[in-house]
Amino acid sequence: MSILSELTELVPGRAHGPGASEYDAGRTVFAGVGDPEAVVRPHTIGEVAVAVRLAAAAGLPIAVRSGGHGLIPVEDGLVIDLAEFNAVEVGDDGLVAVGGGARWRDVAAALAPHALGVSSGDTRDVGVGGLALGGGIGWLVRGQGLAIDRLREAELVTASGDVLTVNAEQHPEVFWALRGGNGNFGVVTRFVFQAAPADGLVGGHVRFDISDVPAVMRAWRDVMRAGPDELNSTLMAMPAFGPEMPAGLQLGVALQGTEQQLRELLEPLLSLASVTEVSLAPVEYGDLLEDAPPGRPPFLFVGGNGFVPELSDEALDAAAAAYAREVPTMIMLRGLGGEFSRIAPDATAIAHRDAEAFLIVNGVLPADSTPEQLAAAKATSDAALAFTSGVYGNFSMERGDEVIAAMYPPATLERLRRVKAQLDPGNVFRQNHNITPATD
Ligand SMILES: Cc1cc2nc3c(=O)[nH]c(=O)nc-3n(C[C@H](O)[C@H](O)[C@H](O)COP(=O)(O)OP(=O)(O)OC[C@H]3O[C@@H](n4cnc5c(N)ncnc54)[C@H](O)[C@@H]3O)c2cc1C
């Protein structure tokens, strides 16, 4: 009997196969369209548990779908689509319970009337599930840390179908692993985050031409070093995408403070000759979030990301050199430090806490590039990435042991593998940055 037939019998109305709109919604993710055996869209935790038990008994891999922005299209097994788990409830003391399939836009909208926010990502459409289990770097990272640093509790359906409440007191080792270990340990149906004040924000962007990229990068580094935790920013250097979109740099910035304070803090950047546009104004936290593009752009991105312990002149010059190379290249620098770095490296599974910044270097190549062109783009990206340590899995679509070894220092990985062995020894949750169970 197929998993679709079994599920149709046990959770009527919730299981969907080819031809059903729910099947199409479940198998379509940001990176493309998959071909799983079935999509189940449970409405209750009990239904999640039934689906997990069935797939595990049949030895089928399970892909959990929250916002669909991290999954590689699923070609086999079962997709558990958490679309119905999208409720957001604001409770006392700024605690907010969020369904495992909600989007960050839902969280920002529910918290707005309370002038609260939860550190998340930059994009409204991204799912709470994938982003929060992988870390969560966003607009409040220097003030609140990562999304996982605001997590207080999770409700987890394990591979055996058990439902656990996981927090600092109950199953503390699982709670540790969930914060950065990605979706390896089961289906999180509910997260509880500690929100914090996110009012009094001023933000916007500053654009620069590319006449002196190293000067912009150094001034940005100095501004972020001197700035308070309430100052958050990313500096993006983009290649030209045709005459409509010339190459340029854009600072995206937000401060909990006044516009005058922001202008004072940004003065070393605003006074550069390469500034072409300044747009700064009071803003709601939810309006800082951007819409995601409708799908993965039709390019090959060759490069990678990493945490930068120190933004030395050499590190910034290497980033500027990568941008100046012949291969069209996108660079993103995001300021870290602040609360992000006050969390102990072993407090969560994201261990690279000493970072001053986060860096992405990506060559943007046409889909029909030759292996030689791809290898050349990779080599020049690596020169800039040599100044980083670790990899942030949420921004890496590569899978496999090499990425896992870069994401987690050995002691962290060993600890994650032990939790995995306890909760998912058969590795049914493997459609992710997969942590294989410890075997001894
Ligand atoms: C346009 C875009 C913008 C982004 N911006 C940011 C950003 O600003 N900051 C940042 O940190 N990251 C960002 N990311 C990366 C993002 O965090 C990851 O892609 C993340 O995996 C997306 O989560 P999702 O729920 O949308 O994805 P999904 O594809 O639904 O899930 C991703 C992974 O998590 C697992 N998973 C999801 N939900 C659950 C759950 N409830 N229980 C168990 N496992 C689960 C899935 O099985 C899968 O392995 C961005 C990605 C894109 C495409």
Side-chain angles (χ1 to χ4, degrees):
M1 203 176 186
S2 71
I3 185 93
L4 181 60
S5 316
E6 282 190 83
L7 280 169
T8 304
E9 219 172 277
L10 287 175
V11 283
R14 310 293 194 232
H16 309 282
S21 60
E22 292 90 343
Y23 178 81
D24 285 338
R27 73 187 178 128
T28 305
V29 295
F30 185 75
V33 182
D35 189 22
E37 290 183 38
V39 169
V40 64
R41 196 188 273 193
H43 287 220
T44 65
I45 299 172
E47 290 174 355
V48 174
V50 168
V52 170
R53 275 199 209 102
L54 269 185
L60 289 177
I62 295 170
V64 185
R65 188 190 194 285
S66 175
H69 281 73
L71 278 167
I72 289 173
V74 179
E75 299 302 340
D76 57 355
L78 177 68
V79 172
I80 299 183
D81 183 350
L82 294 179
E84 298 296 330
F85 286 77
N86 60 357
V88 182
E89 290 161 47
V90 185
D92 296 337
D93 303 326
L95 287 175
V96 51
V98 183
R103 312 280 180 129
W104 285 106
R105 78 150 68 77
D106 305 326
V107 181
L111 289 173
H114 307 270
L116 295 171
V118 175
S119 186
S120 54
D122 299 339
T123 314
R124 326 192 142 83
D125 315 86
V126 168
V128 171
L131 181 134
L133 294 169
I137 302 178
W139 279 115
L140 301 172
V141 67
R142 279 164 47 111
Q144 293 192 17
L146 298 170
I148 52 171
D149 301 332
R150 311 303 297 174
L151 186 64
R152 297 294 176 260
E153 188 168 289
E155 181 178 71
L156 179 73
V157 180
T158 67
S160 54
D162 296 331
V163 180
L164 305 183
T165 299
V166 177
N167 54 38
E169 281 80 39
Q170 295 167 271
H171 310 286
E173 197 60 8
V174 180
F175 186 51
W176 171 83
L178 282 184
R179 288 174 292 156
N182 292 289
N184 275 285
F185 309 100
V187 185
V188 176
T189 46
R190 192 176 65 118
F191 297 86
V192 179
F193 296 100
Q194 177 70 63
D199 54 346
L201 279 161
V202 54
H205 65 259
V206 182
R207 294 203 170 102
F208 308 84
D209 65 35
I210 56 169
S211 54
D212 196 350
V213 173
V216 179
M217 287 184 173
R218 286 178 193 210
W220 173 77
R221 182 252 334 257
D222 295 345
V223 163
M224 294 310 291
R225 275 188 182 167
D229 292 356
E230 290 75 20
L231 178 69
N232 280 281
S233 77
T234 56
L235 182 65
M236 293 271 287
M238 295 298 285
F241 289 102
E244 303 281 287
M245 287 181 70
L249 285 90
Q250 175 163 318
L251 174 81
V253 64
L255 173 78
Q256 267 180 297
T258 65
E259 190 175 332
Q260 190 190 339
Q261 285 167 332
L262 181 58
R263 284 183 181 271
E264 280 167 17
L265 287 165
L266 295 183
E267 175 50 27
L269 280 161
L270 296 178
S271 59
L272 290 175
S274 59
V275 171
T276 58
E277 186 186 320
V278 178
S279 171
L280 302 170
V283 63
E284 298 288 320
Y285 173 64
D287 293 333
L288 281 174
L289 306 184
E290 290 170 2
D291 294 326
R296 214 169 150 69
F299 299 107
L300 296 173
F301 294 93
V302 184
N305 75 61
F307 297 93
V308 191
E310 192 199 342
L311 282 172
S312 60
D313 288 350
E314 293 75 20
L316 290 175
D317 288 350
Y323 182 62
R325 66 191 173 163
E326 211 173 299
V327 179
T329 297
M330 185 223 106
I331 307 275
M332 186 185 99
L333 278 161
R334 175 184 282 277
L336 295 177
E339 182 64 7
F340 170 88
S341 297
R342 284 191 284 271
I343 306 289
D346 62 355
T348 71
I350 301 284
H352 300 280
R353 296 291 186 154
D354 59 351
E356 186 179 2
F358 175 68
L359 172 70
I360 300 178
V361 182
N362 269 330
V364 185
L365 282 91
D368 59 356
S369 301
T370 63
E372 292 73 28
Q373 287 167 325
L374 296 178
K378 176 95 179 80
T380 40
S381 301
D382 286 350
L385 291 168
F387 291 87
T388 65
S389 58
V391 158
Y392 178 47
N394 268 353
F395 277 132
S396 175
M397 291 306 276
E398 286 174 43
R399 298 288 185 267
D401 290 347
E402 213 178 302
V403 184
I404 289 285
M407 285 166 59
Y408 304 112
T412 309
L413 181 55
E414 191 48 39
R415 206 172 152 186
L416 287 168
R417 292 187 66 212
R418 288 188 187 287
V419 180
K420 178 78 171 177
Q422 273 173 18
L423 289 189
D424 184 18
N427 201 9
V428 290
F429 294 104
R430 58 178 181 267
Q431 309 274 23
N432 44 39
H433 283 296
N434 193 223
I435 290 157
T436 50
T439 47
D440 54 359

